[in-house]
Amino acid sequence: MKLKYFSFLFLALCLFFSCQKNETSKTTIKQNLLVDLNKLSNEITQFQKLVDSNASPKEIVEQFKKSRLFYKKVEWAIEYFIPETARFMNGPALDEMELEENRSFEPHGFQVIEEIIYPEYKIEDKENVIRELNIFQSNIKQLKTTFEVITISDDYVLDAMEQNIFRVIALGITGFDSPILQSSISEAGESLLSISKPLEIINSDNKTLADLKKLIAEAQQYCKENNNFNAFDRAFFITEYLNPISKKIKTFQKEENIKNVKKTSPLKPEIETLFDKDAFDVNAFVLSKDYNYTIDKAKLGEKLFYDTSLSKNNDRSCASCHHPEKAFTDGLKTNVSLTGSNLARNTPTLTYASLQNAQFWDMRQLDLEKQSVDVIQNKEEMHGSMDAIHAKILLNKEYISLFKKAYPKTSKPEAWQIQNAIASYVRSLNAFDSRFDEYMRGNKNALNNQEIEGMNLFMGKAKCATCHFTPLFNGTVPPSYSKSEHEVIGTPQDASGKKLSVDQGRYLYNKMPQLVGAFKTPTVRNAAVTAPYMHNGVFKTLEEVVSFYNKGGGIGLGYEVENQTLPFDKLNLTVKEEKALVAFMKILTDKKYQ
């Protein structure tokens, strides 16, 4: 009896101390965050004093850099737990728009300050800088209040750390955070250093932790020794440091028996790196679980995709304009209507279209289901009727059998299932098997020196990856992938380049001045086989596209594009660099199109 009693007591004590340790670790991680936020606040206070005392522009810029380095220590937590505030602390210096309510908010934070103080700080800008710093301090107070009351459990910490690595890959080292000063490399190194302390608090004796800390220290040292933004070798840094660090974090999680966070996310919780073969979950972009992707739905959708009876005259299918051999484009400058006239826009690829939060160049539909109906019922494209198509399917034994297999819970085909099946087929078109993917998964022979140079340019000097985010290379913003971006780049009307395109893009549906000429940022994957390019098919080759960006977009060509979001300064790419950039984009091609 005593033995049972002491066994029970021992077990109870173990559970008590285990819970105490877990609670202590949560509290301590929180305490460390609050300490770091106080340090950040102190740096901003020092910044305010320098501006108030009319310090030299050099001193102000140096304090700005120092302040943002401190921000990088806590960015992993702010971005993960309070992203709404993070947007106004270190988000792009562009208006934040709520299109549903047709309103916008002016940007605030480091990137706004960066544009004011660099390359030349003037005394007349003092008031604006002080205003921004006061807002920043208010945001810090809000963060501290929020962190004091929320629970920061170990599973969320590990998830936040993984997302932090992905953020460094896709945003940190590309210049997204520092488009003008280009202090991104040192900041990326500082961001990595924030990983060790929370994991130490969880378990300082973990066997993987020592290796992880060593790897992080080496990565940070690499950033210190190679902090030239344009010359930085991102291909090497990702494959030799960031991917291994990401794997070590996952190993730590498994060793500590920390479960994955249950949430709907485009990134699958079990992945080790951002470049895993099956890293992305298309179901994160669907309306509800009833719409989730299955192989049977995709097979049914494929049959519907090639069925001309979906159009009014039974002579046009989805495949009529989305040719499989051209990565589901048509090779035309702009699409052709049922009557033979030219439509206004180029046919975009359907590959990777499922990994974005809006469809069509003007982003007028939010999902693939609505996209298919829009095209089918469009008088100029297919002029079909969903009711008529549904009626035909109910009389077709082969279709009824396929629908029953794809949707076993329903007794007969339903109208919404037609849309969902076609969308499911489109969701199957993400191969992630290009030579770029092979390289990022460890095959060092997959790319040659020119292609690696092109990758470094794409993610660096050429600034492509600040809009076409790695590894999707579209405008769906990592690491949460909760929204897809548009850009205003000032595309020419025709090949002569004499005037700006008259197409107003998103403005046609949301009458906001920031959206005039705004178009969705498409994927660059499979670009080698999806020519011509841009919303109006104005450029026939990738070389022409690169040349356009190298000149600074529409403003660089001399157009008046007041709301251009693309940097309008020349990129100053050499001929050799332009060729390397094109070479890189060509290796983003899926195997079936090579």
Side-chain angles (χ1 to χ4, degrees):
M1 188 72 180
K2 284 184 178 180
L3 183 61
K4 287 183 178 179
Y5 171 77
F6 284 115
S7 295
F8 175 78
L9 181 61
F10 176 75
L11 181 60
L13 287 169
C14 286
L15 286 170
F16 173 77
F17 285 115
S18 173
C19 291
Q20 284 291 100
K21 178 185 176 184
N22 196 36
E23 184 58 37
T24 302
S25 69
K26 293 175 190 175
T27 305
T28 308
I29 289 172
K30 184 185 293 188
Q31 286 175 340
N32 272 271
L33 276 173
L34 292 171
V35 168
D36 284 338
L37 282 172
N38 283 329
K39 290 179 180 179
L40 175 60
S41 180
N42 291 338
E43 291 301 325
I44 298 300
T45 298
Q46 179 60 23
F47 199 166
Q48 289 170 314
K49 288 178 180 177
L50 287 173
V51 176
D52 263 335
S53 62
N54 297 325
S56 69
K58 183 179 179 182
E59 287 177 294
I60 287 172
V61 169
E62 286 306 310
Q63 183 58 37
F64 171 85
K65 290 180 179 179
K66 191 178 177 184
S67 299
R68 192 155 59 185
L69 280 176
F70 265 87
Y71 176 81
K72 288 293 174 178
K73 294 176 185 291
V74 290
E75 183 180 42
W76 69 272
I78 300 172
E79 284 281 357
Y80 186 84
F81 293 104
I82 319 169
E84 299 83 6
T85 303
R87 172 65 178 82
F88 293 100
M89 296 182 82
N90 196 37
L94 298 169
D95 288 348
E96 181 76 2
M97 284 175 278
E98 290 187 359
L99 300 184
E100 298 81 6
E101 299 180 23
N102 218 49
R103 62 176 182 169
S104 62
F105 303 91
E106 64 176 315
H108 297 291
F110 281 126
Q111 291 196 45
V112 173
I113 299 170
E114 184 175 336
E115 288 194 353
I116 298 172
I117 67 171
Y118 193 83
E120 184 181 3
Y121 172 69
K122 298 176 182 178
I123 196 68
E124 52 262 38
D125 295 323
K126 178 178 177 178
E127 186 177 332
N128 288 332
V129 176
I130 289 294
R131 173 174 169 267
E132 287 298 327
L133 292 173
N134 288 338
I135 293 171
F136 202 96
Q137 286 285 32
S138 296
N139 282 327
I140 293 176
K141 288 179 182 178
Q142 181 62 45
L143 289 174
K144 287 195 284 188
T145 301
T146 305
F147 278 125
E148 282 170 355
V149 298
I150 66 172
T151 299
I152 303 179
S153 56
D154 295 347
D155 53 346
Y156 283 99
V157 170
L158 266 293
D159 197 39
M161 289 301 168
E162 288 173 337
Q163 286 210 24
N164 189 47
I165 295 297
F166 301 154
R167 182 179 298 104
V168 171
I169 291 171
L171 304 178
I173 58 176
T174 66
F176 182 85
D177 287 350
S178 184
I180 303 173
L181 266 172
Q182 296 188 343
S183 56
S184 301
I185 305 307
S186 58
E187 290 173 8
E190 198 68 33
S191 186
L192 295 177
L193 286 180
S194 67
I195 295 170
S196 300
K197 188 63 177 178
L199 301 190
E200 276 184 350
I201 293 169
I202 292 172
N203 184 4
S204 60
D205 296 324
N206 177 277
K207 60 183 180 180
T208 297
L209 186 57
D211 292 338
L212 179 57
K213 288 171 69 176
K214 182 174 181 290
L215 202 54
I216 289 170
E218 290 173 357
Q220 206 245 359
Q221 186 62 30
Y222 185 82
C223 289
K224 279 185 177 180
E225 295 173 356
N226 303 273
N227 64 1
N228 182 297
F229 180 80
N230 287 344
F232 190 71
D233 191 340
R234 291 157 178 85
F236 178 85
F237 190 62
I238 293 172
T239 55
E240 295 300 315
Y241 293 116
L242 297 183
N243 283 348
I245 289 172
S246 180
K247 290 178 181 178
K248 291 288 185 186
I249 291 174
K250 203 66 184 175
T251 301
F252 178 95
Q253 180 184 356
K254 291 175 182 176
E255 289 172 352
E256 295 302 313
N257 198 28
I258 298 172
K259 294 180 179 179
N260 292 319
V261 174
K262 290 184 178 180
K263 61 178 182 176
T264 301
S265 171
L267 288 173
K268 295 179 181 177
E270 64 272 14
I271 64 172
E272 292 189 333
T273 78
L274 189 58
F275 305 96
D276 285 8
K277 172 71 173 176
D278 297 312
F280 289 88
D281 183 5
V282 293
N283 289 331
F285 295 90
V286 303
L287 298 170
S288 69
K289 288 185 178 180
D290 290 336
Y291 287 79
N292 277 2
Y293 169 85
T294 67
I295 293 174
D296 288 329
K297 286 182 182 180
K299 287 180 179 177
L300 167 60
E302 183 175 12
K303 182 173 176 60
L304 289 165
F305 190 86
Y306 291 92
D307 191 341
T308 54
S309 68
L310 270 63
S311 63
K312 182 179 181 180
N313 297 327
N314 298 315
D315 60 356
R316 181 177 279 198
S317 70
C318 303
S320 299
C321 303
H322 294 280
H323 306 165
E325 70 277 8
K326 290 184 172 70
F328 295 88
T329 59
D330 57 13
L332 301 175
K333 186 175 184 291
T334 60
N335 204 344
V336 178
S337 73
L338 287 170
T339 58
S341 61
N342 289 323
L343 297 176
R345 293 175 184 161
N346 176 261
T347 302
T349 179
L350 294 182
T351 59
Y352 305 94
S354 58
L355 300 171
Q356 52 193 15
N357 300 286
Q359 304 298 327
F360 295 108
W361 282 104
D362 51 33
M363 307 176 80
R364 65 182 180 270
Q365 298 292 5
L366 298 180
D367 56 72
L368 287 167
E369 277 76 11
K370 293 186 182 70
Q371 185 261 354
S372 63
V373 175
D374 193 306
V375 173
I376 289 170
Q377 298 187 158
N378 188 300
K379 292 181 180 180
E380 293 186 303
E381 296 189 54
M382 293 181 74
H383 202 185
S385 161
M386 294 306 296
D387 290 337
I389 294 167
H390 186 215
K392 287 180 184 178
I393 284 171
L394 290 173
L395 299 174
N396 187 306
K397 289 183 179 179
E398 184 181 359
Y399 266 130
I400 290 174
S401 176
L402 288 170
F403 269 91
K404 193 170 184 179
K405 192 174 181 181
Y407 302 93
K409 293 182 179 180
T410 54
S411 58
K412 61 181 180 179
E414 297 180 8
W416 69 269
Q417 294 169 346
I418 300 168
Q419 303 165 231
N420 181 230
I422 295 172
S424 296
Y425 175 57
V426 176
R427 291 183 179 114
S428 73
L429 305 177
N430 311 324
F432 288 104
D433 61 0
S434 68
R435 288 201 288 123
F436 165 80
D437 296 302
E438 288 183 37
Y439 182 85
M440 300 312 287
R441 292 173 195 146
N443 181 3
K444 294 299 178 66
N445 297 318
L447 305 184
N448 61 36
N449 290 337
Q450 184 189 41
E451 291 158 351
I452 292 172
E453 180 190 3
M455 174 183 167
N456 287 324
L457 287 164
F458 190 97
M459 296 180 69
K461 182 181 177 181
K463 302 181 180 180
C464 311
T466 59
C467 298
H468 299 274
F469 305 110
T470 309
L472 296 182
F473 297 101
N474 65 11
T476 307
V477 186
S480 67
Y481 297 97
S482 58
K483 65 177 181 178
S484 296
E485 295 282 15
H486 60 257
E487 299 292 340
V488 179
I489 63 174
T491 306
Q493 175 70 18
D494 52 46
S496 70
K498 291 182 179 179
K499 62 179 181 178
L500 182 68
S501 169
V502 296
D503 193 331
Q504 294 186 315
R506 294 198 78 175
Y507 181 77
L508 297 173
Y509 296 90
N510 300 93
K511 303 293 184 179
M512 301 173 69
Q514 301 96 322
L515 297 178
V516 175
F519 295 93
K520 181 181 70 179
T521 304
T523 185
V524 184
R525 283 181 175 269
N526 294 320
V529 293
T530 59
Y533 308 101
M534 305 303 185
H535 70 272
N536 55 1
V538 67
F539 298 132
K540 294 180 180 179
T541 67
L542 287 171
E543 286 79 5
E544 289 177 324
V545 174
V546 170
S547 177
F548 168 74
Y549 283 110
N550 196 18
K551 292 171 183 173
I555 292 179
L557 294 178
Y559 308 146
E560 291 185 13
V561 193
E562 292 182 4
N563 61 328
Q564 181 168 309
T565 56
L566 179 76
F568 46 81
D569 293 332
K570 291 182 179 180
L571 296 173
N572 295 316
L573 298 174
T574 65
V575 173
K576 177 177 176 290
E577 288 172 335
E578 287 191 10
K579 289 180 179 178
L581 198 53
V582 170
F584 170 70
M585 287 189 278
K586 287 181 177 179
I587 59 95
L588 295 173
T589 308
D590 293 342
K591 276 185 179 178
K592 66 167 67 175
Y593 309 121
Q594 291 175 11

